[in-house]
Amino acid sequence: MFDIKAPENYFYHIKNSIEKYKLDTNKKIERLFFIINGLNHLREWIAPNYDFNNKAENDAQKFYNDIYVKSKYFKDINNICNGIKHLKSQNKKLKTSYNSNVDEWENVDNILDVDIGIPSDYYVDDKNIIEIIEEVAKYYEDKWFIILANKK
């Protein structure tokens, strides 16, 4: 896709978006969706065309299976992503907190309801989504990309 030609390029953009998201006082849902979608689908870039019902035959396919089982929050990312994509209800409690101080709003385009304000944080079962995102990103970093870099 355009300049993103390898999983490490995709991961670079995901990590960059995570850092920008963390700095945003007014959270942008489109950035959050890019991050969630990216973290969910990155394993498919790592092991393209792999079907988890088949036996893993290489490191990429093993990683594909491992992140689903061993990452503390990958299943949450997967469920949220698929829930958004397919408009399905979640098995987790999703919540948004809002900043109603109009003086702190960066952009009124991000406001769906002026009475409640602009999103300031998103939560999954009362856990800030950034904790979930950071754990999954760290799993990718530590269990795939650092190992991959060391093999080169």
Side-chain angles (χ1 to χ4, degrees):
M1 182 178 95
F2 303 106
D3 291 340
I4 304 173
K5 300 190 184 329
E8 47 273 18
N9 302 137
Y10 194 18
F11 189 55
Y12 168 82
H13 289 289
I14 294 167
K15 287 190 338 178
N16 191 25
S17 292
I18 291 169
E19 291 309 311
K20 287 179 182 178
Y21 177 87
K22 286 168 37 179
L23 293 172
D24 289 338
T25 53
N26 300 313
K27 303 303 183 196
K28 296 167 183 66
I29 193 69
E30 61 272 17
R31 182 171 290 152
L32 180 60
F33 183 62
F34 171 77
I35 294 166
I36 290 170
N37 190 54
L39 289 173
N40 184 57
H41 289 94
L42 181 58
R43 71 183 185 148
E44 295 169 12
W45 282 50
I46 292 168
N49 303 315
Y50 173 62
D51 180 348
F52 67 89
N53 292 310
N54 297 328
K55 185 176 187 273
E57 296 179 0
N58 57 46
D59 290 342
Q61 293 172 353
K62 289 175 190 164
F63 175 82
Y64 183 103
N65 293 335
D66 285 348
I67 193 169
Y68 190 83
V69 175
K70 296 179 181 177
S71 166
K72 185 175 179 181
Y73 294 120
F74 183 83
K75 287 180 187 172
D76 291 330
I77 292 291
N78 182 254
N79 287 330
I80 293 167
C81 183
N82 288 330
I84 293 168
K85 184 169 65 175
H86 300 292
L87 295 174
K88 291 183 180 177
S89 61
Q90 301 289 317
N91 59 356
K92 300 277 187 174
K93 180 182 148 202
L94 304 181
K95 183 180 111 187
T96 305
S97 64
Y98 295 91
N99 178 353
S100 60
N101 181 350
V102 73
D103 293 331
E104 294 181 14
W105 295 353
E106 294 173 10
N107 184 345
V108 293
D109 293 340
N110 293 324
I111 301 170
L112 295 177
D113 185 337
V114 178
D115 292 332
I116 59 176
I118 196 160
S120 58
D121 277 304
Y122 294 96
Y123 297 88
V124 178
D125 285 345
D126 298 321
K127 179 172 291 302
N128 193 311
I129 189 76
I130 198 63
E131 293 177 49
I132 294 167
I133 287 168
E134 286 183 321
E135 187 276 335
V136 175
K138 184 162 178 29
Y139 193 93
Y140 274 109
E141 182 94 46
D142 293 349
K143 304 296 183 187
W144 183 255
F145 290 106
I146 287 177
I147 292 168
L148 183 66
N150 289 336
K151 286 184 177 182
K152 290 182 178 180

